[in-house]
Amino acid sequence: MIRTRFLSTGFRVPDRVVTNHELEGMMETSDEWIRQRSGIEARRWAAEDETGADLAESASRMALEHAGMDATELDCIILATLSPDHFFPGTGVFLQRQLGVTDIPCLDVRNQCSGFLYGLSVADAWIRTGAYRRILLVGTELHSAGLDLSLRGRDTGVLFGDGAGAVILAPTEEARGVLAVKVHADGRHAETLWTDVPGCAHRPYITCADIEEKHHVPAMQGREVFRHAVKRMPEAVREVLGETGLPLAEVDMVIPHQANLRISQAVQKTLGLPDEKMYNNIQRYGNTTAASIPIALHEAVAEGRIGDGALVCLTAFGSGFTWGAALVRW
Ligand code: UT7
């Protein structure tokens, strides 16, 4: 039986650390509010000339190095982002070009915080059917170019951060790798967390008034997102466990999308997991949406908290609404 194995991980966050105290000088907020409501202490913001493809390239090069591979050995790229460098084409082809690769397919995934899991779901199917054998899956985000630091947008302005995480996936006949991956969506909540423009539902697709009225930056009903997130993530974790027949007690590490420390703590409580089985790094990076799971995965592996044979559960919830989970034998 062919399964999808993680060959390696890599990550990159921009050098500039933006603390909550620094934000206090830019907008009406406080370190105390941000810590209490989200657990975030700092986030990274990209330099003026840095792009999402640049962050993705650095994370990918690290993953390639850890796998002992050259970029030319890749046969597919899947890139997840909600903050693309351009309206079109997707960031995937820019990453491909920067890696010096040509001809291989580049799929751009637009599933926000669940983008990495949606990408993993597609990669897993492609690998198991033999379509591709070396897939680079990347989550990259450059939120700092589109944050709303006004009073209206301060709920999202303090949450989001920049960064990228990458993994290399390959087939294996061993009893390891992706054991189950499930993704879901409920479009009834599409406008609960969204960025309205630029968008071709409008004629023209963006106006000066849109920019003045801040329709081009994220708008969120935070409490509503919170309420659904704490329900859907445990549900998805139980679903992938149910699919494999493995008990929750056998899970060694849960890596939740880093949306809000309070959300992760609620998920942990619902599942009844001890602290050492829950990975959190939102304190340092904020919410990096599609990049948060691969960044956390990389750090957990680098810190030795995920070792050979560990049972790892990834779970996400975000805009769309979209959500899901994956169970991986490392
Ligand atoms: O990545 C996946 C998608 N995103 C999420 O999962 C985020 C989910 N939601 C959340 O994490 C939380 O809802 C937030 C952290 C965004 C907000 O926390 P909350 O406890 O739900 O606060 P709230 O939105 O109900 O706002 C409470 C108060 C309001 O003031 P009033 O109306 O009580 O006077 C806000 O105006 O906090 C105010 N507020 C702030 N104050 C200081 C909102 N943002 C800020 C801020 N600094 N940055």
Side-chain angles (χ1 to χ4, degrees), residues 23 27-31 33-34 36-38 40 82 112-113 151-160 193 220-227 229 233 257-263 287-289 317-319 321:
L23 283 184
M27 64 195 293
E28 222 177 295
T29 192
S30 68
D31 173 53
W33 189 95
I34 302 169
Q36 272 182 7
R37 306 284 176 138
S38 71
I40 298 167
L82 71 70
Q112 304 71 247
C113 307
L151 198 60
R152 171 196 167 277
R154 64 181 176 165
D155 53 345
T156 52
V158 300
L159 284 187
F160 294 132
L193 170 52
M220 175 172 75
Q221 295 167 39
R223 295 213 161 181
E224 207 45 22
V225 179
F226 198 107
R227 200 166 66 77
M233 284 198 275
H257 158 54
Q258 307 287 304
N260 179 324
L261 190 60
R262 283 165 51 222
I263 292 180
N287 178 343
T288 58
T289 52
F317 180 89
S319 161
F321 291 150

Side-chain angles (χ1 to χ4, degrees), residues 226-304:
F226 198 107
R227 200 166 66 77
H228 287 264
V230 299
K231 178 172 172 279
R232 293 304 195 182
M233 284 198 275
E235 205 175 272
V237 168
R238 290 199 171 107
E239 184 184 20
V240 288
L241 284 166
E243 179 126 322
T244 57
L246 289 164
L248 181 63
E250 269 192 36
V251 173
D252 296 298
M253 183 64 73
V254 172
I255 303 212
H257 158 54
Q258 307 287 304
N260 179 324
L261 190 60
R262 283 165 51 222
I263 292 180
S264 298
Q265 286 166 342
V267 170
Q268 179 182 349
K269 195 170 163 212
T270 303
L271 293 171
L273 293 167
D275 287 352
E276 65 273 16
K277 288 193 175 185
M278 199 76 185
Y279 195 84
N280 298 303
N281 64 5
I282 190 169
Q283 297 92 332
R284 287 175 283 131
Y285 303 133
N287 178 343
T288 58
T289 52
S292 92
I293 289 182
I295 291 175
L297 186 61
H298 173 83
E299 290 203 329
V301 172
E303 290 163 14

